[in-house]
Amino acid sequence: MSLPDWTRVRRLLVLRLDNLGDVVMIGPALRAIKAHHPQIHLTLLASPGGAPAAPLLPWVDQLRVHRPSWQDLGRLPFDPAREATLINALRGGHYDAALILTSFNQSPHPAALACALAGIPVRIASSHERGQALTFALPSAPDPLHQVERYLRLVEAVGLPATDRRLALAIPEAARTGARELLAARGVTADYLVLNPFTSCEARTYEPARFASAARIIGDRTGLAVALCGGEKDRSRAAALVERLGPRGVNLVGATDLPLFAAVIAGARLVLTGNTGALPIADALSVPQLILYAGTDLESQWAPRASPHLLLRRETPCSPCYRFTCPYHHECLAFSPVQVATTALQLLRHPRSRPAAAPTVTPTTAGIR
């Protein structure tokens, strides 16, 4: 397979149809593309769960949103017309090439077929399987490779070497101002912790009540406020956690969009989270974090690479299971709140525990449309 002629590519479609953290992690690959060919108009095709990350990725010129049937877990009805609508929309984009980014266990071929039917002449991906839909198929990397490096490996294989492999986000100044105002309105004007206890997957979730108890211990020991964060869907669970946090607890659950959430993380002394979207956001912003990391996934695939951090996980014979629910009572996360708090206090005492300056990223002028 020959390499694509990038001098002829004016419109590029990048597909990353997965969750929030997965989209955050494509940033270095997008940066490498734009560094070599700034004239390329880059469209990101993302799922509803990952699309909110697009405004933080300044290399994206346009966003398209689609929930793909080939990555659905049985909730979408069979509807060929929906896929025909996607293909027609892609055909109307007049793309010169498509770059399909996937996790180690996902196939790029359904997306490649959709792009082929849409008339996109160059279709690039890493793949375990053989097929006719890809015009450039890089043999898939070893499963333990970090997601960021998996994406960069593909971009570099098609002639676009990366000079910067770090995650980076561009937080709008309005979001930074909004975060300060939001916190101040709730009485937080000094250093604080962020507690982000919710994940999209039950098997990756440390019991939120225990997480809140640990955060209260940390707050009581340090005098730091604790900003409880989460999405709109988590509102019903927030009140009980804020009560458990005590007087230092501040409820931001459902009060932030993603840029505002990233700005709240950017100002934190420490982020307490699981293996979820807050992890790569804090990593991109060089904010220290304590991660209750379930055994569902290999640490090497998703762990922070730049931020000061500690991971808590117990070794179990079932890891990595890649399950959505845990049949073993979360043995891999069997830590008491005192153990979690003690580990977090160790991290706070570390000389690198204050957030370092995040990499500077200049937004593009085109913006998200």
Side-chain angles (χ1 to χ4, degrees):
M1 296 183 183
S2 60
L3 292 175
D5 182 356
W6 289 103
T7 63
R8 295 179 176 273
V9 175
R10 292 292 179 268
R11 296 182 59 81
L12 174 67
L13 178 68
V14 176
L15 299 89
R16 187 64 186 103
L17 295 156
D18 217 319
N19 290 326
L20 191 70
D22 303 290
V23 175
V24 170
M25 288 188 180
I26 71 175
L30 303 186
R31 179 172 53 210
I33 294 167
K34 285 284 195 172
H36 289 279
H37 298 285
Q39 81 286 353
I40 286 178
H41 181 280
L42 194 154
T43 297
L44 173 65
L45 179 63
S47 61
L56 299 176
L57 300 173
W59 311 281
V60 174
D61 298 303
Q62 184 178 7
L63 173 67
R64 290 185 180 271
V65 182
H66 178 71
R67 177 175 281 112
S69 60
W70 57 85
Q71 285 179 224
D72 180 54
L73 300 175
R75 292 187 289 266
L76 284 176
F78 177 68
D79 182 8
R82 181 181 57 245
E83 311 312 327
T85 299
L86 170 65
I87 291 166
N88 288 332
L90 296 184
R91 184 179 293 113
H94 305 290
Y95 300 110
D96 302 301
L99 179 71
I100 303 165
L101 301 176
T102 56
S103 297
F104 73 99
N105 59 347
Q106 295 170 336
S107 172
H109 291 276
L113 178 58
C115 291
L117 292 172
I120 302 175
V122 177
R123 303 173 297 276
I124 303 162
S126 297
S127 178
H128 286 290
E129 313 95 344
R130 294 182 178 181
Q132 300 295 317
L134 291 172
T135 59
F136 184 96
L138 180 69
S140 191
D143 286 357
L145 188 66
H146 197 280
Q147 279 299 112
V148 172
E149 293 300 325
R150 185 173 299 277
Y151 304 143
L152 286 174
R153 175 177 175 269
L154 177 59
V155 168
E156 292 180 322
V158 292
L160 304 174
T163 58
D164 190 345
R165 312 185 84 82
R166 298 172 300 168
L167 288 172
L169 299 175
I171 301 177
E173 190 55 40
R176 292 185 185 273
T177 301
R180 290 192 294 269
E181 293 175 348
L182 179 66
L183 289 163
R186 287 160 170 77
V188 181
T189 56
D191 286 349
Y192 58 91
L193 310 172
V194 164
L195 172 62
N196 184 71
F198 310 112
T199 77
S200 61
C201 172
E202 185 274 341
R204 295 201 304 266
T205 304
Y206 179 63
E207 173 56 44
R210 302 178 88 193
F211 226 161
S213 294
R216 177 163 187 170
I217 294 171
I218 302 165
D220 289 344
R221 296 276 183 87
T222 62
L224 297 172
V226 182
L228 176 67
C229 294
E232 183 66 34
K233 66 182 184 302
D234 304 311
R235 276 186 183 271
S236 62
R237 298 187 284 176
L241 297 185
V242 172
E243 183 177 353
R244 188 175 287 260
L245 287 171
R248 299 187 191 282
V250 176
N251 186 4
L252 301 184
V253 175
T256 61
D257 59 12
L258 193 68
L260 200 58
F261 177 51
V264 170
I265 286 179
R269 279 284 305 278
L270 178 69
V271 174
L272 307 169
T273 189
N275 183 10
T276 187
L279 185 161
I281 292 173
D283 194 30
L285 300 171
S286 299
V287 176
Q289 51 184 320
L290 175 65
I291 303 146
L292 273 292
Y293 196 97
T296 54
D297 300 88
L298 294 173
E299 293 176 13
S300 62
Q301 294 170 326
W302 309 99
R305 302 181 307 148
S307 64
H309 67 275
L310 290 172
L311 269 64
L312 279 179
R313 178 174 72 84
R314 294 198 184 281
E315 293 292 339
T316 54
C318 54
S319 178
C321 66
Y322 303 111
R323 295 180 66 118
F324 292 100
T325 58
C326 177
Y328 301 117
H329 309 290
H330 296 88
E331 291 179 10
C332 57
L333 295 175
F335 297 97
S336 71
V338 171
Q339 289 173 308
V340 173
T342 299
T343 305
L345 290 167
Q346 292 173 359
L347 185 56
L348 281 169
R349 286 193 292 266
H350 194 277
R352 292 180 62 201
S353 64
R354 286 190 177 273
T360 300
V361 181
T362 304
T364 57
T365 56
I368 303 295
R369 294 195 295 275

